[in-house]
Amino acid sequence: MENLGFHLPISEPITVFGITLLVIFIVPLVFSKLKLPGIIGLIIAGMILGTSGLNILDKERSIELLGNVGLIYLMFLAGLELEVGSFLKNQRKNITFGLFTFTIPFLFGFTICKYFLGFGYLPSLLIASMFSTQTMISFPIVSRLRLTKTLPVEISIGGTIITDTLVLLIFVIITSLSANSGLNGFLLLIPKILAFVLFIILLLPRFTHWFLRNLSSDQMAQYVFVLATVFTTSAIARFLGIEPIIGAFLAGIVLNRQIPPSAMLMNRIEFIGNALFIPIFLFYVGMLIDLKAFVSGYESLELSAILISFAIISKWLAAYLTQKIFKLKTLDRQLIFGLSTAHAAATIAIILVGYKIGIVDINVLNATIVVIFASCVVSAMVTERAARNYAIAFPAVSFKPYDTEKVLIPVANPANIEYLIEFAGYVNDQTKKTPITLLKVVKDDDEIPKVNYLAAKAEDISHSFGIETEWAIRVDVNISSGIVRAAKEMLASKIIMGWSGKYVSSRRWIFGTILEGVLADVKQPVYICSLKQSIAQISQVHILIPRNAEFDPDFKNYMKSLERIIKKTRQQVTIIVDKIHTENVIAELPPTFSKLKPTVKEIRKWEEGFNHLKGIDSNALGIIISARKGTIAYNSDIQNTLIFTSQIISDKNVVIVYPAIHGTSIIDSRSLLSGTGRVVTEN
């Protein structure tokens, strides 16, 4: 087929690579907005553009090479993310659950495949191994709710380490039996495997430690050394008759102890893998799938339904038995089940290799994709519900306030500088006397001289309020990333941003606004101010509080900051709160609120609170307590806070408070959706 001077499928390397990069850029953005796992989006894109779909791209040559590189990188990161320190806690419970979550799914899978579906021994063993794998894609949920140090989460982490390690050991046996003509060939391979493992355990750590220590100043050489180590180890494994992914996994385990999680080298390793190699691998997996057989073939769909059902049931049974043996609570079991039921990284890796060497057919590969999608959805839903209930039943300890108050105000519009500085003076803890930092993000060095006008105006305003300020400038092509970087560098305790009250943007659906960019990537509390007059002129204060906000660890901290406004203005206060949570909220309010005897307005729906604020006086201040995705107060209604504010009360004095969060960032979440995110618990 000829089209515009070239033939389909396209096989020219530059064109193929360019199209692939566009796919791995656009698809995750779209799927994140659709609230679907990015891993599935990339696989679907590969199915559509591959030879069995629209026949646009040829999967041979360049894509195949990059796909295989991504597979090795994926298994390397799987070994690199294992946290032995987490496993050492609650060893008895971890080992018990690890053995259950490996053995029960494995036995279920082998029995179903061998005796009900009619597969041979090796295919049955391989598919059973897939049943046993698990990837903690829902870890960002428990991290945001500060549950990573709870017993069920620690058991889930320990179980993941055990089951994934055992799966790869079984995988070595399966592939060896397949490639070496039965049991005799495998027995001849055992000495080679032992020699390889001894090399990995005894020699590689020492050489790696010596090399990284002596090249501490050359970051580029360190990264190249890591890559060389991973792929050389994989090549040695191939030479010995072992699957290369086993060598990559073992290299990851070795380097795990040599590269600190917070090191710049670790950041580079994870960034490049999650940005390039692993997405290309997932895209390549999609191109291998027979789309026609997947859509029209009854066998793939029937197999998918069977595998999904028993994969989920077996993981639930492992969690149930662990609960009964150690007399855990029902919430513990639900959380363990939710965290352990997802299949992603190791699952797709072992099935793909099994397909390539002829152990399983295309129907199994097709069914595996459905299993990954279904298990990820179930894991996210169960974990979300269980984690919220757990956080309410066992509230986390409140955030410890910052030792040093460091308020950051990004400045864009000269017209609202006065109100932002004044508001900062009210919520700033005066006992911790540090200057308020005014930040200007510019896109080029040539814009820096233009900041002088803003600086002079801000200095006059701050002097009039008796507030000490200082200026900071950051050069960045993206304003939100410049603000995020400055907040991290300055260790800001609060971020105060101005807002026009309008939430209209043609690019908002895909790229988001500056506000959304900042809220997604910072962990500090953020105060969004749309003020039409001075705080000193405010006659009333109305505070809209969402359901479950009183269980947020930062609740007392931000209410204490708002208490300073109440103390200084000494105005009438109205608390707008969900009817079911009224008693809890009132009990958690600071003493000043109780002394003022605030009026309580009970509501049943979040939007009712905005209808109340619509009727407040023009000299009143509406304070809206919002929440960020993944936190205990977040729900489907609260995500529309900015839209409601823009449509209903844009003409009012409004401050929207986004409480501090603790846990995994958006970048970490995206890598975890690919099954490669590092699981790190807070100290």
Side-chain angles (χ1 to χ4, degrees):
M1 178 178 177
E2 188 172 340
N3 184 27
L4 298 178
F6 58 84
H7 296 273
L8 295 179
I10 300 170
S11 59
E12 198 278 317
I14 300 299
T15 307
V16 170
F17 189 62
I19 294 174
T20 302
L21 289 179
L22 285 175
V23 169
I24 65 176
F25 166 66
I26 295 172
V27 170
L29 288 174
V30 174
F31 269 65
S32 67
K33 294 298 180 180
L34 296 175
K35 296 180 174 59
L36 294 173
I39 181 175
I40 299 299
L42 291 168
I43 293 173
I44 291 175
M47 294 168 59
I48 294 173
L49 297 179
T51 52
S52 66
L54 299 178
N55 196 34
I56 294 176
L57 295 180
D58 188 356
K59 64 176 178 288
E60 305 297 334
R61 298 170 61 186
S62 54
I63 286 293
E64 184 177 17
L65 171 63
L66 291 171
N68 287 325
V69 169
L71 174 59
I72 298 298
Y73 212 105
L74 175 69
M75 294 310 297
F76 164 61
L77 284 181
L80 195 66
E81 74 180 14
L82 294 182
E83 289 291 333
V84 180
S86 299
F87 173 74
L88 295 178
K89 302 175 183 177
N90 304 301
Q91 289 187 45
R92 183 164 166 262
K93 294 182 178 68
N94 291 342
I95 293 173
T96 302
F97 174 66
L99 293 176
F100 279 155
T101 196
F102 169 78
T103 305
I104 294 173
F106 187 85
L107 293 177
F108 263 73
F110 182 80
T111 303
I112 295 299
C113 293
K114 175 61 182 171
Y115 299 105
F116 290 91
L117 298 177
F119 286 103
Y121 278 102
L122 289 183
S124 298
L125 288 172
L126 189 68
I127 299 172
S129 299
M130 177 194 75
F131 273 48
S132 295
T133 62
Q134 61 191 49
T135 305
M136 295 183 65
I137 66 156
S138 298
F139 188 81
I141 297 173
V142 297
S143 181
R144 285 287 183 96
L145 294 174
R146 300 188 76 200
L147 300 179
T148 57
K149 282 190 173 296
T150 58
L151 180 61
V153 176
E154 290 180 346
I155 290 176
S156 300
I157 295 173
T160 300
I161 293 173
I162 292 175
T163 189
D164 282 356
T165 302
L166 291 175
V167 163
L168 289 172
L169 290 175
I170 296 295
F171 182 68
V172 171
I173 298 173
I174 295 171
T175 53
S176 300
L177 291 173
S178 173
N180 291 280
S181 304
L183 182 60
N184 291 332
F186 172 68
L187 293 176
L188 292 174
L189 185 62
I190 290 179
K192 297 180 181 179
I193 295 176
L194 293 176
F196 181 64
V197 172
L198 288 175
F199 164 74
I200 292 290
I201 295 175
L202 299 179
L203 297 180
L204 190 57
R206 297 181 181 182
F207 180 64
T208 301
H209 177 72
W210 174 84
F211 192 88
L212 294 178
R213 182 184 61 187
N214 287 280
L215 276 178
S216 58
S217 60
D218 194 337
Q219 295 289 331
M220 185 179 297
Q222 286 185 353
Y223 180 72
V224 174
F225 169 76
V226 170
L227 280 186
T229 300
V230 173
F231 286 94
T232 301
T233 306
S234 302
I236 294 173
R238 168 75 78 182
F239 177 76
L240 295 175
I242 307 169
E243 274 301 318
I245 64 172
I246 302 300
F249 180 76
L250 292 175
I253 293 176
V254 170
L255 293 175
N256 177 287
R257 306 298 297 271
Q258 307 297 327
I259 307 173
S262 58
M264 183 64 70
L265 178 58
M266 181 67 78
N267 179 271
R268 285 191 172 94
I269 291 170
E270 294 182 337
F271 174 78
I272 295 175
N274 291 314
L276 185 63
F277 291 125
I278 294 172
I280 291 178
F281 162 70
L282 296 171
F283 181 63
Y284 171 63
V285 170
M287 297 180 73
L288 292 175
I289 295 172
D290 189 340
L291 184 60
K292 295 176 183 177
F294 190 81
V295 174
S296 60
Y298 173 75
E299 187 175 351
S300 292
L301 297 177
E302 181 185 31
L303 183 60
S304 300
I306 294 172
L307 295 184
I308 290 168
S309 301
F310 284 98
I312 293 175
I313 290 171
S314 61
K315 288 293 182 181
W316 180 87
L317 186 57
Y320 177 78
L321 290 177
T322 303
Q323 176 203 359
K324 292 303 179 182
I325 289 175
F326 296 108
K327 299 180 180 180
L328 304 177
K329 300 178 179 64
T330 301
L331 277 177
D332 293 331
R333 184 199 70 221
Q334 292 173 349
L335 205 50
I336 292 171
F337 167 62
L339 289 169
S340 63
T341 196
H343 303 268
T347 304
I348 191 64
I350 64 174
I351 293 298
L352 178 61
V353 173
Y355 169 72
K356 283 188 170 185
I357 63 180
I359 297 178
V360 295
D361 60 15
I362 190 65
N363 290 318
V364 174
L365 181 61
N366 290 345
T368 300
I369 303 305
V370 181
V371 170
I372 290 173
F373 177 76
S375 65
C376 288
V377 171
V378 171
S379 174
M381 292 175 61
V382 173
T383 305
E384 179 78 29
R385 181 175 181 179
R388 285 179 178 274
N389 292 335
Y390 198 101
I392 292 173
F394 309 101
V397 178
S398 299
F399 285 149
K400 181 182 178 181
Y402 288 84
D403 294 331
T404 302
E405 185 80 302
K406 192 71 174 177
V407 179
L408 177 66
I409 304 179
V411 176
N413 182 7
N416 63 15
I417 293 180
E418 179 178 352
Y419 298 147
L420 294 180
I421 294 176
E422 182 190 19
F423 179 80
Y426 275 94
V427 299
N428 189 25
D429 188 346
Q430 299 297 329
T431 62
K432 303 174 182 178
K433 295 185 178 180
T434 53
I436 294 170
T437 302
L438 303 176
L439 171 70
K440 179 64 176 176
V441 179
V442 298
K443 295 183 178 180
D444 191 272
D445 291 340
D446 296 337
E447 298 182 33
I448 293 178
K450 300 178 183 178
V451 180
N452 292 334
Y453 166 73
L454 283 175
K457 181 177 181 180
E459 186 176 0
D460 292 339
I461 294 171
S462 59
H463 285 166
S464 67
F465 288 120
I467 298 172
E468 184 180 357
T469 59
E470 61 183 11
W471 267 91
I473 299 175
R474 291 293 181 274
V475 179
D476 204 305
V477 294
N478 183 281
I479 295 177
S480 60
S481 65
I483 296 171
V484 171
R485 181 161 55 90
K488 291 179 180 178
E489 293 171 352
M490 298 175 184
L491 300 177
S493 58
K494 293 185 181 73
I495 300 175
I496 298 174
M497 300 180 64
W499 182 42
S500 65
K502 298 179 181 179
Y503 191 66
V504 179
S505 175
S506 59
R507 65 190 185 96
R508 174 175 58 84
W509 190 80
I510 292 292
F511 298 105
T513 63
I514 293 174
L515 291 180
E516 289 169 326
V518 173
L519 290 171
D521 287 342
V522 301
K523 298 181 180 180
Q524 296 91 338
V526 180
Y527 296 76
I528 309 298
C529 301
S530 177
L531 300 172
K532 311 299 186 297
Q533 63 191 74
S534 169
I535 295 292
Q537 298 173 348
I538 295 299
S539 59
Q540 299 174 359
V541 178
H542 299 255
I543 305 177
L544 174 58
I545 302 176
R547 65 182 65 174
N548 293 331
E550 69 271 25
F551 300 111
D552 191 298
D554 196 40
F555 182 78
K556 291 183 178 180
N557 290 335
Y558 64 73
M559 291 305 295
K560 190 173 182 179
S561 294
L562 299 178
E563 181 186 31
R564 299 187 193 110
I565 296 179
I566 306 301
K567 282 182 178 180
K568 292 181 179 180
T569 58
R570 296 187 178 278
Q571 303 300 336
Q572 180 182 350
V573 178
T574 300
I575 304 295
I576 312 162
V577 64
D578 188 281
K579 186 175 183 180
I580 299 175
H581 293 262
T582 301
E583 186 176 341
N584 288 341
V585 169
I586 298 301
E588 294 293 330
L589 290 176
T592 299
F593 286 87
S594 302
K595 292 178 182 178
L596 290 174
K597 297 181 180 180
T599 302
V600 177
K601 168 70 176 177
E602 295 183 330
I603 58 175
R604 295 182 182 273
K605 295 182 179 179
W606 184 238
E607 193 171 356
E608 289 180 19
F610 288 87
N611 292 330
H612 170 82
L613 293 176
K614 185 178 181 180
I616 66 176
D617 189 77
S618 59
N619 291 327
L621 172 64
I623 299 176
I624 302 167
I625 309 301
S626 190
R628 286 182 261 194
K629 187 175 182 180
T631 56
I632 195 168
Y634 184 84
N635 55 56
S636 57
D637 291 329
I638 217 167
Q639 69 178 347
N640 297 317
T641 296
L642 291 174
I643 297 176
F644 287 160
T645 304
S646 175
Q647 294 176 348
I648 301 175
I649 55 173
S650 60
D651 59 330
K652 307 295 183 182
N653 295 298
V654 176
V655 174
I656 305 176
V657 181
Y658 286 86
I661 60 172
H662 188 100
T664 311
S665 69
I666 293 299
I667 294 174
D668 294 329
S669 303
R670 178 168 172 173
S671 63
L672 277 155
L673 286 176
S674 298
T676 61
R678 169 169 286 266
V679 176
V680 180
T681 57
E682 67 264 22
N683 296 321

PDB file of all heavy atoms in Angstrom, residues 497-517:
ATOM      1  N   MET A 497      -0.842  32.134  46.361  1.00  0.00           N
ATOM      2  CA  MET A 497      -0.917  32.495  44.947  1.00  0.00           C
ATOM      3  C   MET A 497      -2.150  33.341  44.664  1.00  0.00           C
ATOM      4  O   MET A 497      -3.219  33.113  45.241  1.00  0.00           O
ATOM      5  CB  MET A 497      -0.951  31.233  44.071  1.00  0.00           C
ATOM      6  CG  MET A 497       0.273  30.341  44.217  1.00  0.00           C
ATOM      7  SD  MET A 497       0.188  28.858  43.172  1.00  0.00           S
ATOM      8  CE  MET A 497       0.194  29.596  41.524  1.00  0.00           C
ATOM      9  N   GLY A 498      -1.993  34.293  43.788  1.00  0.00           N
ATOM     10  CA  GLY A 498      -3.118  35.094  43.353  1.00  0.00           C
ATOM     11  C   GLY A 498      -3.879  34.406  42.232  1.00  0.00           C
ATOM     12  O   GLY A 498      -3.325  33.585  41.493  1.00  0.00           O
ATOM     13  N   TRP A 499      -5.174  34.734  42.123  1.00  0.00           N
ATOM     14  CA  TRP A 499      -6.018  34.135  41.089  1.00  0.00           C
ATOM     15  C   TRP A 499      -7.094  35.129  40.705  1.00  0.00           C
ATOM     16  O   TRP A 499      -7.681  35.799  41.558  1.00  0.00           O
ATOM     17  CB  TRP A 499      -6.631  32.844  41.630  1.00  0.00           C
ATOM     18  CG  TRP A 499      -7.495  32.100  40.652  1.00  0.00           C
ATOM     19  CD1 TRP A 499      -7.239  31.892  39.328  1.00  0.00           C
ATOM     20  CD2 TRP A 499      -8.756  31.477  40.917  1.00  0.00           C
ATOM     21  NE1 TRP A 499      -8.238  31.156  38.752  1.00  0.00           N
ATOM     22  CE2 TRP A 499      -9.195  30.883  39.711  1.00  0.00           C
ATOM     23  CE3 TRP A 499      -9.547  31.334  42.050  1.00  0.00           C
ATOM     24  CZ2 TRP A 499     -10.392  30.186  39.602  1.00  0.00           C
ATOM     25  CZ3 TRP A 499     -10.733  30.633  41.945  1.00  0.00           C
ATOM     26  CH2 TRP A 499     -11.151  30.065  40.741  1.00  0.00           C
ATOM     27  N   SER A 500      -7.375  35.204  39.414  1.00  0.00           N
ATOM     28  CA  SER A 500      -8.373  36.149  38.921  1.00  0.00           C
ATOM     29  C   SER A 500      -9.792  35.699  39.215  1.00  0.00           C
ATOM     30  O   SER A 500     -10.732  36.497  39.140  1.00  0.00           O
ATOM     31  CB  SER A 500      -8.207  36.338  37.406  1.00  0.00           C
ATOM     32  OG  SER A 500      -8.487  35.123  36.722  1.00  0.00           O
ATOM     33  N   GLY A 501      -9.961  34.430  39.536  1.00  0.00           N
ATOM     34  CA  GLY A 501     -11.304  33.889  39.761  1.00  0.00           C
ATOM     35  C   GLY A 501     -11.895  33.273  38.513  1.00  0.00           C
ATOM     36  O   GLY A 501     -12.997  32.717  38.546  1.00  0.00           O
ATOM     37  N   LYS A 502     -11.180  33.349  37.403  1.00  0.00           N
ATOM     38  CA  LYS A 502     -11.663  32.781  36.141  1.00  0.00           C
ATOM     39  C   LYS A 502     -10.946  31.464  35.874  1.00  0.00           C
ATOM     40  O   LYS A 502      -9.736  31.369  36.011  1.00  0.00           O
ATOM     41  CB  LYS A 502     -11.425  33.755  34.992  1.00  0.00           C
ATOM     42  CG  LYS A 502     -12.178  35.076  35.157  1.00  0.00           C
ATOM     43  CD  LYS A 502     -11.887  36.018  34.000  1.00  0.00           C
ATOM     44  CE  LYS A 502     -12.633  37.338  34.183  1.00  0.00           C
ATOM     45  NZ  LYS A 502     -12.339  38.287  33.071  1.00  0.00           N
ATOM     46  N   TYR A 503     -11.725  30.482  35.461  1.00  0.00           N
ATOM     47  CA  TYR A 503     -11.157  29.161  35.202  1.00  0.00           C
ATOM     48  C   TYR A 503     -11.552  28.731  33.793  1.00  0.00           C
ATOM     49  O   TYR A 503     -12.277  27.784  33.573  1.00  0.00           O
ATOM     50  CB  TYR A 503     -11.691  28.163  36.230  1.00  0.00           C
ATOM     51  CG  TYR A 503     -10.984  26.820  36.221  1.00  0.00           C
ATOM     52  CD1 TYR A 503      -9.653  26.720  36.593  1.00  0.00           C
ATOM     53  CD2 TYR A 503     -11.654  25.667  35.858  1.00  0.00           C
ATOM     54  CE1 TYR A 503      -9.011  25.499  36.608  1.00  0.00           C
ATOM     55  CE2 TYR A 503     -11.025  24.436  35.873  1.00  0.00           C
ATOM     56  CZ  TYR A 503      -9.706  24.360  36.249  1.00  0.00           C
ATOM     57  OH  TYR A 503      -9.072  23.144  36.259  1.00  0.00           O
ATOM     58  N   VAL A 504     -11.051  29.463  32.825  1.00  0.00           N
ATOM     59  CA  VAL A 504     -11.351  29.181  31.426  1.00  0.00           C
ATOM     60  C   VAL A 504     -10.037  29.089  30.679  1.00  0.00           C
ATOM     61  O   VAL A 504      -9.260  30.036  30.653  1.00  0.00           O
ATOM     62  CB  VAL A 504     -12.224  30.286  30.791  1.00  0.00           C
ATOM     63  CG1 VAL A 504     -12.491  29.956  29.327  1.00  0.00           C
ATOM     64  CG2 VAL A 504     -13.530  30.432  31.556  1.00  0.00           C
ATOM     65  N   SER A 505      -9.781  27.949  30.068  1.00  0.00           N
ATOM     66  CA  SER A 505      -8.542  27.754  29.322  1.00  0.00           C
ATOM     67  C   SER A 505      -8.743  26.673  28.281  1.00  0.00           C
ATOM     68  O   SER A 505      -9.201  25.587  28.591  1.00  0.00           O
ATOM     69  CB  SER A 505      -7.393  27.356  30.253  1.00  0.00           C
ATOM     70  OG  SER A 505      -6.233  27.071  29.488  1.00  0.00           O
ATOM     71  N   SER A 506      -8.398  26.961  27.043  1.00  0.00           N
ATOM     72  CA  SER A 506      -8.572  25.997  25.959  1.00  0.00           C
ATOM     73  C   SER A 506      -7.637  24.817  26.092  1.00  0.00           C
ATOM     74  O   SER A 506      -7.881  23.747  25.558  1.00  0.00           O
ATOM     75  CB  SER A 506      -8.348  26.681  24.607  1.00  0.00           C
ATOM     76  OG  SER A 506      -7.049  27.242  24.551  1.00  0.00           O
ATOM     77  N   ARG A 507      -6.529  24.995  26.820  1.00  0.00           N
ATOM     78  CA  ARG A 507      -5.575  23.906  26.960  1.00  0.00           C
ATOM     79  C   ARG A 507      -5.691  23.216  28.320  1.00  0.00           C
ATOM     80  O   ARG A 507      -4.889  22.353  28.650  1.00  0.00           O
ATOM     81  CB  ARG A 507      -4.148  24.419  26.782  1.00  0.00           C
ATOM     82  CG  ARG A 507      -3.699  25.401  27.852  1.00  0.00           C
ATOM     83  CD  ARG A 507      -2.369  26.038  27.475  1.00  0.00           C
ATOM     84  NE  ARG A 507      -1.865  26.894  28.546  1.00  0.00           N
ATOM     85  CZ  ARG A 507      -0.990  26.517  29.455  1.00  0.00           C
ATOM     86  NH1 ARG A 507      -0.540  25.296  29.436  1.00  0.00           N
ATOM     87  NH2 ARG A 507      -0.567  27.338  30.384  1.00  0.00           N
ATOM     88  N   ARG A 508      -6.704  23.574  29.120  1.00  0.00           N
ATOM     89  CA  ARG A 508      -6.817  23.051  30.478  1.00  0.00           C
ATOM     90  C   ARG A 508      -7.019  21.546  30.510  1.00  0.00           C
ATOM     91  O   ARG A 508      -6.472  20.859  31.374  1.00  0.00           O
ATOM     92  CB  ARG A 508      -7.990  23.743  31.196  1.00  0.00           C
ATOM     93  CG  ARG A 508      -8.283  23.175  32.567  1.00  0.00           C
ATOM     94  CD  ARG A 508      -9.362  23.976  33.259  1.00  0.00           C
ATOM     95  NE  ARG A 508     -10.586  24.023  32.508  1.00  0.00           N
ATOM     96  CZ  ARG A 508     -11.513  23.069  32.543  1.00  0.00           C
ATOM     97  NH1 ARG A 508     -11.327  22.002  33.285  1.00  0.00           N
ATOM     98  NH2 ARG A 508     -12.613  23.182  31.849  1.00  0.00           N
ATOM     99  N   TRP A 509      -7.783  20.978  29.564  1.00  0.00           N
ATOM    100  CA  TRP A 509      -8.128  19.550  29.663  1.00  0.00           C
ATOM    101  C   TRP A 509      -6.899  18.669  29.565  1.00  0.00           C
ATOM    102  O   TRP A 509      -6.770  17.683  30.271  1.00  0.00           O
ATOM    103  CB  TRP A 509      -9.121  19.187  28.564  1.00  0.00           C
ATOM    104  CG  TRP A 509      -9.688  17.821  28.782  1.00  0.00           C
ATOM    105  CD1 TRP A 509     -10.689  17.485  29.640  1.00  0.00           C
ATOM    106  CD2 TRP A 509      -9.265  16.606  28.157  1.00  0.00           C
ATOM    107  NE1 TRP A 509     -10.923  16.130  29.594  1.00  0.00           N
ATOM    108  CE2 TRP A 509     -10.075  15.561  28.683  1.00  0.00           C
ATOM    109  CE3 TRP A 509      -8.303  16.290  27.206  1.00  0.00           C
ATOM    110  CZ2 TRP A 509      -9.940  14.249  28.284  1.00  0.00           C
ATOM    111  CZ3 TRP A 509      -8.166  14.968  26.810  1.00  0.00           C
ATOM    112  CH2 TRP A 509      -8.972  13.973  27.339  1.00  0.00           C
ATOM    113  N   ILE A 510      -5.972  19.025  28.677  1.00  0.00           N
ATOM    114  CA  ILE A 510      -4.784  18.195  28.501  1.00  0.00           C
ATOM    115  C   ILE A 510      -3.655  18.639  29.415  1.00  0.00           C
ATOM    116  O   ILE A 510      -3.077  17.859  30.165  1.00  0.00           O
ATOM    117  CB  ILE A 510      -4.312  18.218  27.034  1.00  0.00           C
ATOM    118  CG1 ILE A 510      -5.331  17.502  26.152  1.00  0.00           C
ATOM    119  CG2 ILE A 510      -2.952  17.556  26.895  1.00  0.00           C
ATOM    120  CD1 ILE A 510      -5.411  16.007  26.390  1.00  0.00           C
ATOM    121  N   PHE A 511      -3.301  19.920  29.373  1.00  0.00           N
ATOM    122  CA  PHE A 511      -2.093  20.378  30.051  1.00  0.00           C
ATOM    123  C   PHE A 511      -2.350  20.940  31.443  1.00  0.00           C
ATOM    124  O   PHE A 511      -1.460  20.991  32.268  1.00  0.00           O
ATOM    125  CB  PHE A 511      -1.387  21.434  29.194  1.00  0.00           C
ATOM    126  CG  PHE A 511      -0.942  20.915  27.869  1.00  0.00           C
ATOM    127  CD1 PHE A 511      -1.619  21.233  26.718  1.00  0.00           C
ATOM    128  CD2 PHE A 511       0.156  20.080  27.779  1.00  0.00           C
ATOM    129  CE1 PHE A 511      -1.197  20.739  25.487  1.00  0.00           C
ATOM    130  CE2 PHE A 511       0.585  19.584  26.561  1.00  0.00           C
ATOM    131  CZ  PHE A 511      -0.098  19.914  25.409  1.00  0.00           C
ATOM    132  N   GLY A 512      -3.600  21.379  31.703  1.00  0.00           N
ATOM    133  CA  GLY A 512      -3.882  21.955  33.003  1.00  0.00           C
ATOM    134  C   GLY A 512      -3.440  23.408  33.101  1.00  0.00           C
ATOM    135  O   GLY A 512      -2.705  23.920  32.267  1.00  0.00           O
ATOM    136  N   THR A 513      -3.906  24.095  34.152  1.00  0.00           N
ATOM    137  CA  THR A 513      -3.526  25.478  34.371  1.00  0.00           C
ATOM    138  C   THR A 513      -2.266  25.544  35.227  1.00  0.00           C
ATOM    139  O   THR A 513      -1.777  24.532  35.720  1.00  0.00           O
ATOM    140  CB  THR A 513      -4.673  26.214  35.090  1.00  0.00           C
ATOM    141  OG1 THR A 513      -4.863  25.600  36.376  1.00  0.00           O
ATOM    142  CG2 THR A 513      -5.970  26.120  34.298  1.00  0.00           C
ATOM    143  N   ILE A 514      -1.750  26.770  35.410  1.00  0.00           N
ATOM    144  CA  ILE A 514      -0.580  26.957  36.270  1.00  0.00           C
ATOM    145  C   ILE A 514      -0.905  26.504  37.695  1.00  0.00           C
ATOM    146  O   ILE A 514      -0.096  25.841  38.353  1.00  0.00           O
ATOM    147  CB  ILE A 514      -0.137  28.430  36.255  1.00  0.00           C
ATOM    148  CG1 ILE A 514       0.378  28.809  34.865  1.00  0.00           C
ATOM    149  CG2 ILE A 514       0.944  28.682  37.300  1.00  0.00           C
ATOM    150  CD1 ILE A 514       0.709  30.279  34.719  1.00  0.00           C
ATOM    151  N   LEU A 515      -2.104  26.858  38.163  1.00  0.00           N
ATOM    152  CA  LEU A 515      -2.513  26.452  39.510  1.00  0.00           C
ATOM    153  C   LEU A 515      -2.496  24.934  39.659  1.00  0.00           C
ATOM    154  O   LEU A 515      -1.974  24.389  40.634  1.00  0.00           O
ATOM    155  CB  LEU A 515      -3.925  26.968  39.810  1.00  0.00           C
ATOM    156  CG  LEU A 515      -4.107  28.477  39.986  1.00  0.00           C
ATOM    157  CD1 LEU A 515      -5.563  28.784  40.265  1.00  0.00           C
ATOM    158  CD2 LEU A 515      -3.240  28.996  41.108  1.00  0.00           C
ATOM    159  N   GLU A 516      -3.057  24.248  38.676  1.00  0.00           N
ATOM    160  CA  GLU A 516      -3.113  22.789  38.748  1.00  0.00           C
ATOM    161  C   GLU A 516      -1.720  22.179  38.679  1.00  0.00           C
ATOM    162  O   GLU A 516      -1.438  21.165  39.327  1.00  0.00           O
ATOM    163  CB  GLU A 516      -3.994  22.255  37.615  1.00  0.00           C
ATOM    164  CG  GLU A 516      -5.466  22.565  37.817  1.00  0.00           C
ATOM    165  CD  GLU A 516      -6.307  22.289  36.584  1.00  0.00           C
ATOM    166  OE1 GLU A 516      -5.807  22.474  35.460  1.00  0.00           O
ATOM    167  OE2 GLU A 516      -7.478  21.897  36.752  1.00  0.00           O
ATOM    168  N   GLY A 517      -0.842  22.802  37.894  1.00  0.00           N
ATOM    169  CA  GLY A 517       0.532  22.311  37.813  1.00  0.00           C
ATOM    170  C   GLY A 517       1.249  22.408  39.147  1.00  0.00           C
ATOM    171  O   GLY A 517       1.976  21.493  39.552  1.00  0.00           O
TER     172      GLY A 517
END
